[in-house]
Amino acid sequence: MGSISIQALLDPSVRALCERLERAFGDRGFALHLVGGPVRDVILGAPEAEDLDFTTDAQPPDSRQALLRAHPDAVFDIGERFGTIGAVFRESKVEVTTYRAEAYEAGSRKPSVGFHGSLEADLARRDFTINAIAFRVSDGVIVDPFNGQGDLRQGLVRAVGDPHERFAEDPLRILRAVRFATRLDFALDDATAAAAQQQAPTLDSISRERVRDELNKLLVAPRPSRGVQLLCDLGLAAHTLPDLLAMRGMHQEAGRHKDVFFHTLHVIDRIPPRLPLRWAALLHDIAKPRTLRVENGQVHFFGHDRVGEKMARSILDGLRQDGLLINRVGRLVGLHLRANAYESDWTDGAVRRFVREVCDDVLEDLLHLSRADVTSGLPERRLAIARRVGELELRIRGLRAEADIARLASPLDGADLMALFERGPGPWIRPLKDHLLDLVLDGQLRQDDREAAVPIARRLYAELGLDQATNARTRGPLASTHG
Ligand code: ATP
Ligand code: MG
């Protein structure tokens, strides 16, 4: 059955690991096959995955014994009930699963798993032909009953057997099909695509956590726009990311703003493949349909950044994303217009205020988003904006070299001011401190120059009339000239 020697293609350290495992299983009379992702990726010449999945005829207790022999330390049960034993080797994480032949009872998504299958039955229950290829470790024979190698050559994601049945057994496979098509830049086989489209509503029945994991994997693909487009074209977005549809709706209405959806697709492809960045790119304009207003023939999206932040947080929360990701993406969406507003005539103080507002932890990502957000068709406009973001970045670097901008503070703190004016705590302190901090941010006062700060504080104290009224109002002429 084998047609090419994938042994020769395996990375030497992976090959050594396979041979070690083969000795541990083979000596006891068990068969061991590498299967699924790693076989697919090696045949494609793609970088090998860190995780190696094997399948065996050994029952779970015997697999555990064999794994323990190959590696006495890091062996763990992934779920003996499901027949999978895992081990972490230096090179890779290994999972060995006893052949499964799942029988799905009508009307139930819970498979009853039996461990008495054959390799062929095990491969037959896998989702796509390209994932149903096994590699016998002992002699390098390839077992490929569904012609997965043909589909790899053609670049096709095709369900094993009847796609309707496969998707009915587990609707998550619909999203997996889109994910593999996106990641590998493969086409969807026609029958598989048609079944996915027809069964899109069944996606409502699977947990949001499983949907989340698939969307996350899809978004970090080299060109995620294809996946997002497939989600929309196949009617899957309505059951996974329904807010995308309004953006797409804008492009379907004839008009000047037909480009929001396509613009978003460009931005996600252009931004580096890190999850928070990809989500921020996907959602940065999510509120444009909702905030669109036309006034005197001019189209505006007032507040789409703030409304977008709220929407992004709620979309991600609905997908049970982790809180750190939600927060980061929310802030990036909420701030995404700030860096684009930069002009060369910003003072150093304005740049420092920008850095303090954005906070160090998302600044880098925000600049990535700004850079990716420039998809204008006019090259000179793209160039101009890229140059502006580059200039802002350089200025930030320069100002950071002088001082830790986030920690800049008034030379006199509350205690100093109370001592200076022999007065107890109260709202009178704030305008003085704010003004001194403003001078520091504007580069007119060094934050360690307490001597220079004292007369400034005294003058402002008098100007604001703080020496007369104990409950003086806080905004005075000096305070309002900054900010
Ligand atoms: P990745 O590189 O993303 O890990 P993979 O192909 O290894 O890709 P996994 O999710 O790790 O994907 O699954 C390993 C193998 O298990 C798949 O190749 C496939 O054969 C099978 N498989 C996983 N999930 C399903 C499913 N929902 N239905 C059928 N088969 C599945
Ligand atoms: Mg895998």
Side-chain angles (χ1 to χ4, degrees):
M1 252 192 247
S3 54
I4 53 166
S5 164
I6 76 165
Q7 236 148 352
L9 299 175
L10 283 176
D11 180 88
S13 73
V14 172
R15 194 178 344 147
L17 178 55
C18 286
E19 282 161 7
R20 190 159 145 207
L21 289 167
E22 164 57 26
R23 275 195 300 280
F25 281 79
D27 287 358
R28 295 160 173 242
F30 297 122
L32 188 70
H33 288 82
L34 187 63
V35 72
V39 179
R40 177 196 67 218
D41 293 346
V42 168
I43 294 176
L44 279 175
E48 277 160 53
E50 318 246 293
D51 299 357
L52 296 179
D53 295 324
F54 293 89
T55 182
T56 182
D57 57 352
Q59 294 297 309
D62 295 322
S63 299
R64 183 184 306 99
Q65 283 309 315
L67 270 178
L68 277 169
R69 209 186 121 196
H71 188 5
D73 307 324
V75 172
F76 55 90
D77 278 354
I78 290 175
E80 198 173 315
R81 211 158 60 76
F82 301 105
T84 303
I85 310 294
V88 181
F89 291 79
R90 188 152 38 88
E91 308 86 340
S92 334
K93 195 175 110 221
V94 165
E95 293 185 13
V96 180
T97 304
T98 304
Y99 294 157
R100 273 188 266 190
E102 281 161 13
Y104 288 83
E105 279 154 36
S108 161
R109 291 238 162 62
K110 296 257 150 51
S112 59
V113 180
F115 298 136
H116 22 261
S118 60
L119 175 63
E120 276 69 21
D122 181 280
L123 295 176
R125 76 171 180 83
R126 291 174 185 269
D127 46 9
F128 306 110
T129 61
I130 57 172
N131 289 344
I133 309 172
F135 165 72
R136 191 154 74 207
V137 181
S138 60
D139 57 8
V141 164
I142 289 180
V143 183
D144 180 14
F146 306 102
N147 192 23
Q149 290 172 93
D151 287 337
L152 282 178
R153 271 192 299 275
Q154 284 195 58
L156 267 187
V157 176
R158 181 202 309 270
V160 169
D162 177 357
H164 287 281
E165 281 172 26
R166 310 325 311 279
F167 292 154
E169 286 162 1
D170 180 4
L172 188 76
R173 291 173 184 161
I174 299 172
L175 294 180
R176 286 175 57 88
V178 171
R179 187 214 338 156
F180 287 117
T182 306
R183 185 169 104 192
L184 305 173
D185 201 14
F186 275 22
L188 282 177
D189 149 69
D190 288 342
T192 302
Q197 185 159 18
Q198 200 181 326
Q199 283 170 245
T202 62
L203 286 169
D204 290 338
S205 68
I206 57 178
S207 78
R208 293 305 96 177
E209 286 81 353
R210 295 183 81 201
V211 172
R212 166 198 69 201
D213 291 348
E214 278 307 318
L215 293 179
N216 286 353
K217 286 179 186 168
L218 185 150
L219 281 178
V220 295
R223 207 157 60 85
S225 61
R226 260 208 79 221
V228 174
Q229 192 126 41
L230 277 172
L231 290 179
C232 292
D233 291 346
L234 296 174
L236 312 177
H239 307 279
T240 50
L241 281 171
D243 293 289
L244 290 185
L245 297 175
M247 269 206 287
R248 194 157 127 120
M250 285 174 82
H251 105 83
Q252 280 155 351
E253 279 164 33
R256 308 174 41 200
H257 291 281
K258 60 180 186 165
D259 58 351
V260 173
F261 183 69
F262 290 112
H263 162 74
T264 296
L265 294 183
H266 280 296
V267 180
I268 49 177
D269 284 349
R270 287 162 49 95
I271 210 159
R274 281 188 282 115
L275 197 57
L277 286 177
R278 288 282 167 93
W279 272 111
L282 183 66
L283 300 177
H284 76 286
D285 279 346
I286 195 76
K288 277 200 168 173
R290 215 177 266 190
T291 55
L292 183 146
R293 299 283 177 274
V294 184
E295 274 164 31
N296 309 325
Q298 291 267 48
V299 177
H300 300 286
F301 303 99
F302 286 132
H304 85 271
D305 45 352
R306 272 170 293 109
V307 179
E309 168 164 3
K310 281 207 190 100
M311 289 177 71
R313 286 177 184 272
S314 115
I315 291 167
L316 295 172
D317 189 55
L319 286 169
R320 318 275 186 276
Q321 298 278 9
D322 93 75
L324 282 176
L325 182 87
I326 297 176
N327 208 17
R328 199 173 183 78
V329 174
R331 284 167 63 204
L332 288 169
V333 172
L335 290 163
H336 82 271
L337 296 178
R338 295 284 281 115
N340 293 357
Y342 171 76
E343 300 280 356
S344 297
D345 62 3
W346 277 20
T347 62
D348 286 351
V351 175
R352 289 193 189 96
R353 284 185 187 88
F354 168 76
V355 171
R356 287 167 67 96
E357 182 194 336
V358 170
C359 294
D360 286 350
D361 62 326
V362 294
L363 185 59
E364 237 60 58
D365 282 356
L366 190 66
L367 296 176
H368 278 302
L369 183 56
S370 292
R371 240 183 242 115
D373 198 4
V374 187
T375 61
S376 160
L378 303 171
E380 59 274 17
R381 195 171 134 67
R382 283 205 306 271
L383 210 67
I385 299 181
R387 206 176 285 138
R388 260 190 1 217
V389 177
E391 183 184 303
L392 174 60
E393 200 170 21
L394 271 180
R395 287 188 64 188
I396 291 171
R397 207 175 298 158
L399 294 173
R400 271 181 171 165
E402 292 168 11
D404 182 348
I405 297 171
R407 307 184 74 160
L408 287 175
S410 158
L412 303 175
D413 64 13
D416 297 329
L417 291 166
M418 286 191 282
L420 183 65
F421 296 106
E422 299 177 334
R423 193 168 166 186
W428 64 273
I429 295 175
R430 167 127 311 235
L432 300 180
K433 250 173 74 174
D434 283 354
H435 180 65
L436 292 171
L437 173 62
D438 274 334
L439 293 176
V440 172
L441 292 177
D442 285 328
Q444 295 168 20
L445 177 67
R446 286 204 332 270
Q447 74 164 335
D448 55 4
D449 196 348
R450 299 160 60 90
E451 221 168 295
V454 168
I456 297 173
R458 282 196 198 284
R459 189 160 15 96
L460 183 62
Y461 191 76
E463 271 174 34
L464 292 178
L466 293 171
D467 46 353
Q468 285 137 35
T470 7
N471 257 339
R473 303 251 58 162
T474 52
R475 293 217 73 87
L478 272 175
S480 63
T481 59
H482 297 276

